[in-house]
Amino acid sequence: MLNADCLFCKIINGDIPSQKVYENDYCFAFRDINPQAPVHILVVPKDHIESADMVKFNNSFYVAKIFEAIPSIAKAEGLKNGYRVITNCGEDACQTVKHLHFHILGGEKMAEKMC
Ligand code: 5GP
Ligand code: ZN
């Protein structure tokens, strides 16, 4: 179920415009508004799950569906040489939007260190 007060739910619903790159019944992918790599895409479930910390037995299929979609998104973006998938969860990880999302970052060689 979507949440009327949530930025990414509004993007999924088309109430806020985005640059969509992929969509199916379970997930929606769009370009990050402030890209941190030549390719920076966000993939979100079509359900208001707050973060990775709220993934449970009854909603984990959204995560599986997202990870099924990621290789085709990466291929369409030309990420032949690899890419990084990140989810920030909670305050210490600096999660700013409280709707589970996976960043796909690529298009250049990234630093080995992740934080
Ligand atoms: P977080 O910091 O929560 O892991 O990531 C949130 C991401 O959402 C950030 O990379 C930020 O640039 C992106 N973002 C925030 N607001 C918008 C928006 O309105 N549209 C798009 N496309 N991305 C957004
Ligand atoms: Zn939401």
Side-chain angles (χ1 to χ4, degrees):
M1 205 164 59
L2 298 179
N3 176 334
D5 298 325
C6 165
L7 174 65
F8 287 173
C9 284
K10 287 179 187 166
I11 285 177
I12 293 165
N13 223 16
D15 298 334
I16 290 178
S18 68
Q19 283 188 269
K20 181 173 88 172
V21 297
Y22 179 86
E23 181 177 19
N24 66 25
D25 287 347
Y26 304 93
C27 65
F28 190 92
F30 55 101
R31 296 195 192 284
D32 196 292
I33 205 166
N34 182 25
Q36 296 186 37
V39 174
H40 187 170
I41 289 165
L42 301 173
V43 196
V44 303
K46 286 186 173 179
D47 186 34
H48 183 75
I49 301 166
E50 275 195 26
S51 73
D53 203 43
M54 298 302 285
V55 174
K56 303 176 192 322
F57 177 79
N58 66 350
N59 61 17
S60 60
F61 62 92
Y62 282 100
V63 179
K65 291 292 180 189
I66 286 171
F67 274 82
E68 282 174 26
I70 284 173
S72 52
I73 296 168
K75 191 172 182 195
E77 293 295 322
L79 300 178
K80 292 194 188 99
N81 217 31
Y83 52 91
R84 187 167 278 166
V85 180
I86 292 174
T87 190
N88 293 321
C89 177
E91 290 305 310
D92 279 2
C94 302
Q95 180 183 3
T96 56
V97 181
K98 304 292 187 276
H99 180 126
L100 177 64
H101 51 282
F102 294 89
H103 299 255
I104 303 174
L105 297 150
E108 66 183 5
K109 181 76 176 173
M110 280 170 274
E112 271 185 50
K113 206 168 180 299
M114 281 186 285
C115 58

